[in-house]
């Protein structure tokens, strides 16, 4: 999940409830937003290909990405609005610009 340029990782975030907006994501990932762990967080409000909510892609340091997966993967997005769980998958380049999940 590291790139050759600076040790960054790409992270696919899925299962985001359809009624979530950017401020909800900032609240959910609050400590990481405050510590500026994300180099980039791209949320287009488009459905995931799995059909399970919305998705986003984030870029952050490899260490922060692994920590984020451990801290947030499986956590409910909201106790009151939606019982769907956050799903985080590390991505790595596989050639030709394609990405694959890191198992």
């Amino acid at each position: 999940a590291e790139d050759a340029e600076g040790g960054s990782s790409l992270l696919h975030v899925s299962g985001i409830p359809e009624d979530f907006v950017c401020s909800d994501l900032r609240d959910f990932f609050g400590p990481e937003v405050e510590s500026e762990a994300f180099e980039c967080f791209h949320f287009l409000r488009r459905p995931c290909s799995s059909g399970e909510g919305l998705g986003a892609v984030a870029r952050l340091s490899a260490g922060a990405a692994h920590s984020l997966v451990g801290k947030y993967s499986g956590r409910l997005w909201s106790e009151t609005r939606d019982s769907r769980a956050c799903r985080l998958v590390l991505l790595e380049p596989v050639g030709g610009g394609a990405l694959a999940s890191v198992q």
Side-chain angles (χ1 to χ4, degrees):
E2 282 191 14
D3 72 18
E5 296 174 359
S8 293
S9 289
L10 291 176
L11 187 67
H12 182 249
V13 182
S14 63
I16 302 170
E18 288 82 3
D19 63 342
F20 262 42
V21 294
C22 289
S23 60
D24 294 310
L25 293 173
R26 280 192 298 273
D27 289 344
F28 186 79
F29 294 113
E32 287 72 22
V33 171
E34 292 298 319
S35 69
E36 298 181 355
F38 295 107
E39 296 169 15
C40 178
F41 196 100
H42 195 62
F43 177 51
L44 288 176
R45 297 195 46 78
R46 291 195 179 127
C48 291
S49 59
S50 66
E52 297 179 15
L54 304 176
V57 175
R59 183 181 179 108
L60 57 167
S61 73
H66 286 282
S67 175
L68 200 78
V69 169
K71 183 175 179 180
Y72 290 100
S73 194
R75 180 186 277 188
L76 295 180
W77 285 103
S78 172
E79 295 295 326
T80 58
R81 290 166 58 182
D82 192 332
S83 61
R84 184 173 294 141
C86 174
R87 183 162 186 258
L88 302 172
V89 177
L90 288 171
L91 303 173
E92 68 178 15
V94 292
L99 296 170
S101 62
V102 178
Q103 299 299 323

